[in-house]
Amino acid sequence: MSKIKLCGSFCLCLILLLFCTASTPGDAAGGYAVSDPVGPESRPDSSVMVRVAVFPQNPPYQFLDDTGALAGINIDIMEVVAQKCNYYFIYSIYDSQSACLQAMNSGVADIVLGCNINYKDPAHYYTTSELSSATASVVARKSIVPYIQETQKINTFSIVYEYGSVDLSLLYSMGFKHMLCVSSQANALDSLLEQKADIFIGSNESANYILNQSDQSDSFETVYSMVSTIRYTVLVNKSSASVYRNLNRALEDIHANGIYEEIHNSWVTNPFEKQFEAILRCFFISLAVFTCFTLAFLGVSYVLKQKINEKTQQLILVNSSLENTIEDLQHEAAFRNSILDSIPIGAVLFNLDHHITLMNPAACALCGLRADLKDCMDIWSLPIFGEILERIDLDSFDDNRNGIFDLPVGGRDCKYRCWIHILKRNEMDHTGVLMLVEDITEEELHRQKLAAMEKAAMLNQVTAGIAHEIKNPLMTLKIGVSLLETQWEDTEVRQAFLEFIPAEIEKINTLVESLLNYAKPPREEFSVLKIAEVVKRSFYLASITNKGAKNDIALSTCIKADPHVRIQQDLFQQTLTNLLINAIWAVSAKLENPPPHWKGEITGTIQSDGRWVNIIVFDNGVGMSQDTLRHCVEPFFTTKAAGTGLGLALARQCVENNGGRMLVDSREGEYTDITIQIPCHDPGDHGP
């Protein structure tokens, strides 16, 4: 449009605005004149004036640009219509589609531009053939797109759409519950940008245009590209039948001759279509006219078929997703019950009133009850489960718990492992409690047998070291006794006897006490103590074993923290000593063929972050291969000729029974690093 035309349009717009303000009934509908975009100075004298009511809230089809002038696909189409029909159009802008219809019904306007097809009302006005069309798509915030793609569920979010642009039956079939209906595509996208809704369903062209203009296109993503088609038309007053016929002929000619595609593509960028059009144009030039028309027809038919197939497949996927969702919801309870019934661990589900709502067969067998009696019981009266809960303050904890409990059942002491899971709807709303109980009495007896076997194997090594260590004090005593007969009168001999003999006896006493503490059966009672005491005793026993083996290995400790822990002291000390004996064996094996300038080292480090204490046992011995490392904690797996394969397995079990975890890292020929993590304990806390 030239500068002269723009100036003429602006002047005419002001004149018509003043005229309408003074005398037209259109003011009651909230409209104002925009004038003829052609300009009076270039309008033919024989042209016919047609008054057009416009609701400019549908970019890029019809909207007000930055200068306040009407623009868009529909406006450009009407300029072509004006040339074909010898019309000039006077545009009046209204603030709603209903206001446009009111203006036409009252005689202020002859036609209404850009109404969607749902505004059909043959009793009051004519509806022309298609003016333009848009692809209805689903646009969502990028933050919720991964959830939609993973679950194929979009009905849990709120949506916004323009009235009449989307078939309501489609929305209801998709299960939407929170729907916001507005008067235009622009208002719908404004609601999406203002976070009044999560999903926009409407014109894909409008969405792309408005989001690009607002620089927020990166925050949104098209989930479904073609849900349906939105068709726009022109409504004509019943008194303007000739205008209706002329508009129909002009619009059909525009669509048939490709003018519509040119106008549409000038506003809506589609690189694929432009590339395809260029290829077709080159292909048409090289062929005869008849072949070109034939291929064009086939090409258009193929594209339409692909679009129909794509739309059909999308609808099938949406329907299938909805059916699967409904089926999942229907079978969720049955599936949950089936899982609980199939597990061999006793499971009981009870509500906040402590009434049992679900109890699997394993729980009935564990308690010795029939399945038909569970409905009349609460959790406190249920054998075993109720006794375990009596030892836990159920009303004072929010997190899940687990533990091992000793209960007298049927005249014998039984051991049970228990897990308690709090079921939450959210952080503040608890819905119930799932309690799992497993009888581990036989498992514990078997574990104790394995521990005894491993202890016997390790005890042989400890005994050999202690026997070697006792020989030196005994030799001192023997020499001292032999000197008593011949040199008792010698003052220096008596003084040496009185000084060294008690010290040697104390050495023997200390060794015997250490051996007894190591050899006595493990206690199940827990005690609170400083972890450094246990580590020092274990290194003392290991140093004796090192001397018995006559190995030049440096054992050292680095105590960076000394927090209190709650552990089974004797069992834990035995476990740590066994790990050190394994380290001595690994370093001794490397001493047989040591690398240059290498010295055997074993270090023990204690660290703490206030919540956990880390006990790290490091040796620079032969290490383990990656395959050995993967299996080293499995029972009966060993690389030693005389090993039982129970050392690391029992060590890990001991650590886990004390509420901790054990991590093993090693590299063949270089090192082995074992980290034991135990929870720190407040000495004033007398927990279970």
Side-chain angles (χ1 to χ4, degrees), residues 27 332 369 477 620 633 665:
D27 296 338
E332 182 178 354
L369 296 177
L477 289 175
N620 61 349
V633 295
D665 181 28

Side-chain angles (χ1 to χ4, degrees), residues 226 299-313:
M226 288 193 294
V300 171
S301 299
Y302 175 77
V303 172
L304 291 176
K305 183 179 179 180
Q306 289 293 103
K307 290 183 178 181
I308 293 172
N309 290 339
E310 183 180 353
K311 190 182 301 182
T312 303
Q313 290 298 322

Side-chain angles (χ1 to χ4, degrees), residues 107-151:
V108 176
D110 300 310
I111 63 176
V112 178
L113 182 66
C115 294
N116 63 52
I117 203 68
N118 291 315
Y119 280 95
K120 282 185 176 180
D121 188 0
H124 295 87
Y125 42 78
Y126 297 114
T127 302
T128 68
S129 59
E130 182 179 300
L131 173 66
S132 58
S133 63
T135 301
S137 61
V138 178
V139 178
R141 301 183 184 281
K142 281 193 175 180
S143 58
I144 65 173
V145 169
Y147 172 82
I148 296 175
Q149 293 175 342
E150 180 179 354
T151 63

